[in-house]
Amino acid sequence: MNSPTAQFARMGVYDPLHQISMWGESFKSNGDLSASMPLIDEADMKFDSQSEDASHGMLGTSNKYDQEANRPTDKMLRRLAQNREAARKSRLRKKAYVQQLESSRLKLMQLEQELERARQQGLYVGGGLDSDHLGFAGPVNSGITTFEMEYGHWVEEQNRQILELRSALNSHIGDIELRILVDGIMNHYAEIFRMKSAAAKADVFYLMSGMWKTTAERFFLWIGGFRPSELLKVLVPLIEPLTEQQRLDVYNLTQSCQQAEDALSQGMDKLRQALADSVAAGQLVEGSYIPQMASAMENLEALASFLIEADHLRHETLKQMSRILTIRQAARCLLALGEYFQRLRALSSLWSNRPCEPA
C-alpha cells in the first residue's frame, strides 16, 4: 500500500501530517502546556513533604493525633489497592473476551467452509451472509465480522468508563487517581483507532459508509469518523472556565484541525474523481479487465490510507487537548465526549422506535 504522504504528493495535495507534527512546536512557543497538568512525582513529593511537616509539628502529642495524621496515607493506600484490583478484573475480562473471540473465529471458519462447499456444489444461497441486492452470495469477510464484535465490546467498555469517570468527578477524588482514569480512557480511544486500521484493510467501504455506527452518528460522519474541529466547538463550552492561554491554544488547535481536514477532504475529492475516471475507462476484454481497473484498485488502497490518516488526526486532537487542559479539565472533557456519543446513540434508538403514522 502506498504511504499517505506519497499519495498526497502524487495528487498535489497539502500534506496534513506536516501540520500535525508542528502542533507540538506551536504549543511550546505559547508556554509549557504540560505545566498545567499535575505530575505524579510532584504530587507524591508534595504529599511526602506535607506528611513530614505534620509529623514534626506533632511530636509529643497523643496517639489520637498521630492516627489523624496517618489517615490520608491509609486512604491513598486503599485507593491504590482498589485500582490494582480493578486492573486485575480488567485483565480477567480481557482474557475472557479474547477467548470468546477465538471461539467465534473458529465458528466463523466453520461457516466459511460450509458456504464454500455449498458454492462448489452449485447451491444458491440467496439472501445469505454478505449477499448483494441481486441475490449473489459473496464470501464472508472475517475481518469485518471480528471488528463488529470488538466494536460492540468497545462500546460496552466505554459506557462503563463514562459511569466510573462521572462518579469519580462527583466524589472529588485526587488528581493522581483521576489521572489513572483519564489515561485508561485515552488508551481506550487508541484501541478503536487500531481496530479501525485493521478493519480498513479488510473492507474500507464498510468503514467509510459508517454502517458500524448508529444512524444519528452517521449523519455527522467525515471519512469514517467524527470531524475533530466540529467536535472541539461542541466540547469547549462544556469545560469552561479556561485561562486565556488555554483559549489561545484551543483556538490554534482548532485552526490546525481545519487545515488538516481541508487537505484530507481535497485529497478525497481528487481520489473520488480519479476512481470514477478509472472505472469509466475500464472495459471487459475476454474475461479480464484492461489496465485502467488496476489503477482503480490502487486508488482503493489509497482510500484506506485516507481513513487511517483521518483517524490519526482524531487521535492527535484528543492527545493535544489532554496536554492543553489540566487533569480535572481533561476528565470533564472526556466525560462530555463520551456522553455526547451516548446521546447520539440514544437519539438513533428513539428515531428508529418512533411510532409511524399509517400511510
Side-chain angles (χ1 to χ4, degrees), residues 113-141:
Q113 292 173 359
E114 293 175 1
L115 288 174
E116 182 61 28
R117 285 196 297 269
R119 281 193 290 269
Q120 291 176 356
Q121 295 171 3
L123 298 178
Y124 175 73
V125 193
L129 291 176
D130 202 25
S131 298
D132 61 21
H133 68 285
L134 295 178
F136 299 111
V140 176
N141 195 326

Side-chain angles (χ1 to χ4, degrees), residues 18 42 65 100 111:
H18 176 72
E42 294 176 357
Y65 290 103
Q100 181 183 1
L111 179 59

Side-chain angles (χ1 to χ4, degrees), residues 188-202:
H188 193 56
Y189 276 108
E191 178 65 12
I192 186 61
F193 297 135
R194 182 202 63 77
M195 289 161 46
K196 289 175 64 180
S197 177
K201 299 172 183 177

